[in-house]
């Protein structure tokens, strides 16, 4: 993880001072890091005495973020033309406005500042991007500490949640992550209870999600001598088991702990005409390159995409991209 330069902090300060109102937004179909980085950053904006609105297209499917949906809206506050000129958009955990989903059209003309940690993000003058950071919340914590703005217990819990969900409760970190753990220690000093947060992240899933997990495990297929596993969810599955409390993390963990498996794909038919897919991998398999081919993005070992189409066409296309990666790895 890189240390944010004083120049970048000053650029962000000037951006905040230059505007009166902020839309704070994260990507559609948010995860913990997206939601909690937005919530934490709203407290930073509040400390400047500025007005804001938390916006997200949703849906809030994961159990650890479902109770935070009430803080967000998918209908941006109306602003007159003079008001829009003094307003801005701050995007967290994504760098492309199209990833805001249905909010893109309403927010695309605003001055924008980006805070993100995805490998596929592009640095701009108004951005703080660090692909070596394990979570956007880790970047947000640095911003708080370098401003400096007090991190109270609520903000500390937001940041810890984001770090924990994006690192699979710190399992993805290695010996290069000393600064991240030092950050985490400072959050605990602010009153965070790691055990309670772990219980919230891993618990509370509806029984129906366990039934769906069984379906997805049964449906899974192996490819390329067992190196790749693909499973999928249909519209009929969604209708039967619902959307709430999805537990894809458990699915990825089970398959990645299987002998010989190096990458996992979980594809879903979201609507009649659109699909999403999540990718996870171990070691040197860079799944962000696959996601990027379909207009998505992410990290080397965790990425995602959303695309027009049907599962029966999308899955073979994904297989083709993985064939290229696995062949290059073995050559």
């Amino acid at each position: 993880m890189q240390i944010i330069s004083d120049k970048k902090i000053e650029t962000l300060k000037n951006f905040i001072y230059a505007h009166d109102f902020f839309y704070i937004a994260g990507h559609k179909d948010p995860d913990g890091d997206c939601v909690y980085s937005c919530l934490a950053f709203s407290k930073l904006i509040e400390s400047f005495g500025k007005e804001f609105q938390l916006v997200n297209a949703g849906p809030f499917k994961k159990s650890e973020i479902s109770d935070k949906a009430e803080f967000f809206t998918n209908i941006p506050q109306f602003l007159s033309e003079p008001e829009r000129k003094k307003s801005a958009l701050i995007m967290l955990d994504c760098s492309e406005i199209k990833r805001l989903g249905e909010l893109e059209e309403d927010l695309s003309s605003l001055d924008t500042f980006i805070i993100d940690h995805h490998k596929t993000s592009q640095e701009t003058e108004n951005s703080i991007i660090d692909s070596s950071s394990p979570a956007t919340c880790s970047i947000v914590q640095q911003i708080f500490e370098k401003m400096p703005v007090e991190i109270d217990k609520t903000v500390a819990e937001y940041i810890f949640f984001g770090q924990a969900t994006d690192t699979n409760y710190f399992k993805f970190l290695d010996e290069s992550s000393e600064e991240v753990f030092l950050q985490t220690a400072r959050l605990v000093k602010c009153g965070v209870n790691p055990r309670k947060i772990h219980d919230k992240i891993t618990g509370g899933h509806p029984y129906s999600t366990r039934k769906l997990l069984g379906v997805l495990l049964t449906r899974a297929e192996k490819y390329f001598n067992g190196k790749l596993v693909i499973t999928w969810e249909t519209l009929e599955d969604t209708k039967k088991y619902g959307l709430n409390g999805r537990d894809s993390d458990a699915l990825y963990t089970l398959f990645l702990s299987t002998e010989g498996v190096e990458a996992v794909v979980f594809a879903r038919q979201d609507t009649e005409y659109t699909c999403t897919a999540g990718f996870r991998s171990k070691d040197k398999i860079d799944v962000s390159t696959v996601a990027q081919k379909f207009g998505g993005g992410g990290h080397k070992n965790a990425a995602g995409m959303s695309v027009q189409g049907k599962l029966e066409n999308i899955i073979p296309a994904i297989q083709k991209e993985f064939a290229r990666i696995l062949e290059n790895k073995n050559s």
Side-chain angles (χ1 to χ4, degrees):
M1 184 173 69
Q2 299 173 6
I3 303 302
I4 302 171
S5 70
D6 292 341
K7 182 179 179 181
K8 279 291 186 183
I9 292 296
E10 197 61 29
T11 299
L12 176 57
K13 279 184 180 178
N14 292 337
F15 186 86
I16 295 172
Y17 286 134
H19 300 88
D20 296 332
F21 179 86
F22 297 87
Y23 294 108
I24 300 174
H27 56 79
K28 182 179 179 179
D29 195 8
D31 57 9
D33 190 31
C34 175
V35 167
Y36 288 109
S37 61
C38 288
L39 286 167
F41 203 84
S42 72
K43 296 297 185 182
L44 182 78
I45 293 297
E46 198 173 67
S47 74
F48 278 78
K50 302 286 186 172
E51 295 184 3
F52 64 88
Q53 184 184 39
L54 288 159
V55 293
N56 194 286
F60 289 69
K61 292 180 290 191
K62 295 178 178 291
S63 61
E64 67 267 21
I65 62 172
S66 59
D67 64 340
K68 297 297 181 284
E70 63 180 292
F71 294 102
F72 294 79
T73 179
N74 60 2
I75 304 174
Q77 179 176 321
F78 173 78
L79 299 174
S80 66
E81 195 55 36
E83 288 172 331
R84 285 183 73 86
K85 290 180 180 178
K86 293 293 289 180
S87 300
L89 168 65
I90 296 179
M91 290 200 302
L92 293 112
D93 206 39
C94 71
S95 61
E96 297 177 314
I97 196 161
K98 66 181 181 180
R99 293 200 66 207
L100 302 186
E102 293 80 3
L103 298 173
E104 176 185 355
E105 186 175 349
D106 289 323
L107 304 178
S108 59
S109 63
L110 294 166
D111 287 344
T112 301
F113 199 100
I114 296 166
I115 300 170
D116 192 17
H117 75 129
H118 290 100
K119 183 181 177 182
T120 49
S121 298
Q122 299 297 316
E123 187 84 24
T124 66
E125 182 179 352
N126 285 337
S127 70
I128 297 176
I129 294 172
D130 177 14
S131 62
S132 67
S133 177
T136 298
C137 275
S138 296
I139 300 173
V140 171
Q141 181 175 350
Q142 274 203 66
I143 293 170
F144 266 87
E145 293 176 341
K146 290 179 77 69
M147 283 292 189
V149 177
E150 179 188 0
I151 297 179
D152 61 17
K153 183 179 179 182
T154 298
V155 171
E157 287 179 341
Y158 287 159
I159 293 171
F160 191 99
F161 259 110
Q163 289 181 344
T165 55
D166 241 32
T167 61
N168 196 8
Y169 215 80
F170 307 102
K171 292 177 185 176
F172 296 157
L173 303 185
D174 56 24
E175 68 276 5
S176 67
S177 305
E178 178 183 357
E179 182 56 39
V180 180
F181 285 110
L182 290 172
Q183 276 194 327
T184 304
R186 294 195 292 273
L187 297 176
V188 173
K189 193 174 181 179
C190 291
V192 168
N193 185 322
R195 180 177 57 80
K196 286 185 177 179
I197 289 179
H198 179 268
D199 289 345
K200 181 171 181 179
I201 291 172
T202 58
H205 297 285
Y207 179 72
S208 60
T209 66
R210 274 43 196 146
K211 298 288 284 185
L212 175 60
L213 189 59
V215 171
L216 299 176
L217 290 169
T218 302
R219 185 177 288 156
E221 298 284 352
K222 294 192 295 182
Y223 302 89
F224 312 116
N225 296 319
K227 293 184 176 70
L228 174 67
V229 171
I230 299 178
T231 191
W232 62 93
E233 179 182 330
T234 67
L235 286 174
E236 290 74 22
D237 296 329
T238 305
K239 183 177 180 181
K240 182 175 181 178
Y241 297 107
L243 276 171
N244 294 329
R246 278 291 179 272
D247 196 11
S248 52
D249 288 340
L251 186 74
Y252 296 130
T253 299
L254 283 167
F255 283 128
L256 288 176
S257 63
T258 302
E259 184 180 7
V261 175
E262 298 183 23
V264 180
V265 176
F266 172 32
R268 182 172 63 240
Q269 190 78 49
D270 275 341
T271 71
E272 188 177 352
Y273 305 107
T274 61
C275 294
T276 57
F279 309 98
R280 297 293 185 274
S281 66
K282 295 191 296 188
D283 304 325
K284 297 179 181 180
I285 305 297
D286 188 349
V287 292
S288 71
T289 62
V290 178
Q292 210 167 13
K293 287 285 185 179
F294 297 92
H299 316 289
K300 178 181 177 182
N301 300 123
M305 57 173 253
S306 180
V307 68
Q308 298 282 327
K310 302 273 191 178
L311 284 174
E312 54 263 35
N313 299 317
I314 299 304
I315 289 176
I318 291 172
Q319 285 178 243
K320 184 177 179 181
E321 289 302 320
F322 269 100
R324 179 180 55 79
I325 290 176
L326 293 170
E327 285 169 4
N328 289 340
K329 178 177 178 288
N330 294 325
S331 62

